[in-house]
Amino acid sequence: MTDSFTRLFAPIGAAALSFFAAIGRAAIFAGRALLAAVRPPYYPARFVQQLLSIGYFSLPVVGLTALFTGAALAQQIYVGGERFNAASTVPAVTVIAIVRELAPVLGGLMVAGRVSSAMAAELGTMRVTEQIDALVTLRTDPFQFLVAPRLLAAIVVLPILTLVANAIGVMGGYLLAVYRLGFNAASYLETTRDYLEVTDIVSSLVKAAVFGFVLALMGCYHGYHTSGGAAGVGRATTNAVVSAFLLILLANLVITVLVFG
Amino acid sequence: MSPAPDPAAMEERNPGAAIEIAGLRKSFGEKIVLNGVNLGVRPGESLVIIGGSGTGKSVLLKCILGLLQPDSGTIMIDGIDMTEAPGGDRADVRRRTGMLFQGGALFDSLNVWRNVTFALTQGRARKGRSMRSLAVELLAKVGLDESVADLRPAEISGGMQKRVALARAIASRPDLVFFDEPTTGLDPIRANTINDLIRGLVTDLGCSAITITHDMESARRIADRVAMLHEGRIIWQGPVEMLDDSGNARVDKFINGRTD
């Protein structure tokens, strides 16, 4: 009886232990990374390099995502709103949905897909080729040299990307509403401005900063702990993207409930 | 941070470093890799560790360097126990060490001369001109000319990468150097250049050195003493002159490459 009970629950217990151990490891990693970020020596050139890599080179993908999503959203709100004579709510609902949710979340997910995977692959390759060990023997803290610049750059640049995505997303809705659905251009912009609140923008930027932290942390964490050669690098890359996606969506829910709940 | 070495001062003798390893054990899960290693290196001595693949030679080196935490045992470097020393003391010891990794472990994102001077710059863009000329001097010591200085590691051959890594390992004038398979992948002439360079570090500059190798010719040229690691223990150690008369069957079999 005891044996069969153990056989049934042992794998569940082991999985739970493994899950919480992973959370603990990630939390310790995050703590070390944040400590490394505030402690000298600093690497400003590497920080700027990461700003470009994460921010500037993500602009096209984030901009296009926001443009298409804003336009599609305006179309859906128009069609849905018509069912109860509320088609005129397109500008208000579009701006609120874009700024509060879609720009930060979709922007974060797109950047995570692009950047977390690249970070995990780069650090993972450095791990399996002993470059990270070499850094230690050359008296350089890998957390300060590799992790901190990526983490800080992502935290700084994601809000900027999200601001741009907010503007482009609203523009996408505007273009579709004005040129396809026949809205008056001036009144669309006026309604958009009237319904947009400071809280919406602040929450959008706070979310983006948190998502930046999450996606860089997951990329660095999985890359740093890579083992098992090329296959290990592949696993680290996949795990980085999947965990970054899930944590971004979870963080979004928590922040939304805290700010707007 | 260490100052840029003066080329003239490169010829000054180092004090060397003493290493004493006692009862070192390291396991990965169920697999016991090091099972009570006892080993010593005197200042200015070159120790070569031989042994079959997978016997824990690289793990031993990583434990000494503090890259892996042993399960038990002590590693004393000039009186500092690296297994328990605070970060500052470990950093002081690392300041005096150089390491050549088996695969080179050059940083892909930096060009060759920035790799070579990394121990002096910690990756920051400073003293560019003097660092580059220092790197060119060090590259010449390992048989490479200036034309490779501005290339990326991916743009040079594996053997050249190894030599660049060797130049990087000695750039900060360490008095304790570790070499993991220094001649693997090199042609015999280049291998001898590297052997002579390592021997010169010990004989002329007074460095202490620990080298891991399968290359017996290299071992004979580099070593003052040889130790053989087998199943996680040192089963024989002695002066290199006694290697052929060790009286240990496993050592004989290994150095003669016998498969019986």
Side-chain angles (χ1 to χ4, degrees):
Chain A
M1 174 66 186
T2 309
D3 278 354
S4 56
F5 183 82
T6 306
R7 269 201 300 276
L8 183 65
F9 287 103
I12 300 170
L17 279 176
S18 163
F19 174 71
F20 287 114
I23 290 177
R25 278 196 300 273
I28 291 168
F29 187 91
R32 278 186 71 182
L34 290 173
L35 198 63
V38 296
R39 210 181 53 207
Y42 307 110
Y43 295 94
R46 296 186 68 80
F47 171 70
V48 172
Q49 191 183 25
Q50 290 301 321
L51 279 183
L52 283 176
S53 168
I54 300 169
Y56 183 72
F57 294 114
S58 294
L59 266 175
V61 69
V62 170
L64 286 174
T65 302
L67 183 72
F68 298 149
T69 305
L73 185 67
Q75 179 71 51
Q76 290 285 20
I77 294 165
Y78 181 77
V79 173
E82 266 191 329
R83 293 178 189 166
F84 44 95
N85 296 323
S88 61
T89 59
V90 168
V93 178
T94 299
V95 71
I96 289 170
I98 286 285
V99 174
R100 285 189 182 186
E101 287 293 322
L102 293 174
V105 173
L106 291 181
L109 293 177
M110 295 307 284
V111 177
R114 201 187 144 260
V115 171
S116 299
S117 54
M119 287 180 182
E122 188 177 353
L123 268 62
T125 304
M126 289 187 74
R127 169 61 73 193
V128 299
T129 56
E130 296 184 308
Q131 290 178 53
I132 292 179
D133 287 342
L135 274 178
V136 176
T137 65
L138 293 163
R139 303 182 307 284
T140 302
D141 181 354
F143 275 78
Q144 290 180 308
F145 190 72
L146 297 173
V147 180
R150 286 169 168 79
L151 213 57
L152 288 180
I155 291 171
V156 169
V157 89
L158 256 288
I160 298 169
L161 278 176
T162 300
L163 267 183
V164 174
N166 284 339
I168 295 177
V170 170
M171 190 180 75
Y174 166 87
L175 291 174
L176 188 121
V178 171
Y179 294 105
R180 181 175 158 79
L181 305 177
F183 276 71
N184 177 276
S187 74
Y188 187 101
L189 290 177
E190 195 180 333
T191 311
T192 297
R193 200 177 56 235
D194 288 346
Y195 279 87
L196 183 64
E197 294 178 359
V198 174
T199 320
D200 301 329
I201 297 171
V202 171
S203 77
S204 178
L205 300 185
V206 169
K207 281 182 178 183
V210 172
F211 299 164
F213 173 75
V214 165
L215 68 90
L217 183 71
M218 287 298 102
C220 292
Y221 173 77
H222 288 285
Y224 192 86
H225 290 106
T226 298
S227 61
V233 175
R235 269 196 307 275
T237 307
T238 306
N239 290 340
V241 174
V242 171
S243 56
F245 274 30
L246 287 175
L247 286 177
I248 283 173
L249 294 172
L250 175 65
N252 179 56
L253 173 63
V254 172
I255 296 170
T256 302
V257 169
L258 286 176
V259 176
F260 300 106
Chain B
M1 200 185 77
S2 312
D6 171 7
M10 291 287 284
E11 304 310 320
E12 286 174 14
R13 279 187 72 82
N14 285 310
I19 304 179
E20 202 60 50
I21 299 165
L24 196 69
R25 293 173 195 278
K26 178 69 185 174
S27 303
F28 295 98
E30 299 288 303
K31 184 172 169 53
I32 299 169
V33 180
L34 301 178
N35 191 15
V37 171
N38 298 302
L39 202 58
V41 180
R42 287 187 290 272
E45 182 182 52
S46 172
L47 173 75
V48 169
I49 301 172
I50 58 173
S53 300
T55 52
K57 302 187 297 298
S58 294
V59 171
L60 173 61
L61 223 52
K62 287 188 174 181
C63 285
I64 298 172
L65 284 160
L67 297 172
L68 288 174
Q69 183 66 27
D71 300 332
S72 62
T74 56
I75 302 165
M76 307 293 287
I77 300 182
D78 280 348
I80 295 170
D81 184 354
M82 291 294 281
T83 61
E84 289 181 347
D89 286 352
R90 281 191 194 208
D92 286 344
V93 172
R94 286 207 182 104
R95 210 178 302 282
R96 300 166 49 208
T97 63
M99 166 74 187
L100 170 65
F101 286 86
Q102 196 170 349
L106 296 177
F107 305 124
D108 302 323
S109 58
L110 304 177
N111 63 24
V112 163
W113 75 263
R114 287 198 184 280
N115 263 285
V116 171
T117 55
F118 195 95
L120 309 168
T121 62
Q122 264 77 44
R124 270 166 274 161
R126 54 173 55 171
K127 295 182 192 165
R129 193 169 294 174
S130 66
M131 285 294 138
R132 191 182 181 283
S133 60
L134 172 67
V136 170
E137 280 175 36
L138 289 160
L139 289 170
K141 280 180 185 286
V142 294
L144 292 170
D145 60 43
E146 190 175 352
S147 62
V148 301
D150 297 309
L151 300 177
R152 298 270 169 162
E155 295 172 312
I156 58 178
S157 71
M160 291 164 102
Q161 288 182 23
K162 195 98 175 194
R163 286 183 279 158
V164 172
L166 181 57
R168 182 177 70 180
I170 61 174
S172 62
R173 299 171 56 206
D175 51 20
L176 174 57
V177 275
F178 300 90
F179 303 101
D180 193 352
E181 303 283 4
T183 54
T184 304
L186 299 181
D187 64 69
I189 296 169
R190 296 296 181 202
N192 280 338
T193 306
I194 299 305
N195 290 335
D196 292 345
L197 183 75
I198 294 173
R199 190 62 243 176
L201 287 172
V202 176
T203 309
D204 302 334
L205 300 185
C207 298
S208 308
I210 296 183
T211 306
I212 287 172
T213 187
H214 289 119
D215 178 350
M216 293 315 299
E217 192 183 330
S218 176
R220 290 175 202 280
R221 289 179 81 121
I222 294 171
D224 292 317
R225 275 193 318 122
V226 178
M228 177 151 177
L229 190 64
H230 180 72
E231 292 183 347
R233 288 173 185 271
I234 300 295
I235 58 165
W236 181 84
Q237 56 179 311
V240 67
E241 299 80 22
M242 286 182 62
L243 188 59
D244 292 316
D245 303 305
S246 66
N248 184 303
R250 282 196 190 281
V251 174
D252 285 344
K253 193 174 161 182
F254 185 82
I255 64 174
N256 294 309
R258 292 206 312 270
T259 55
D260 53 315

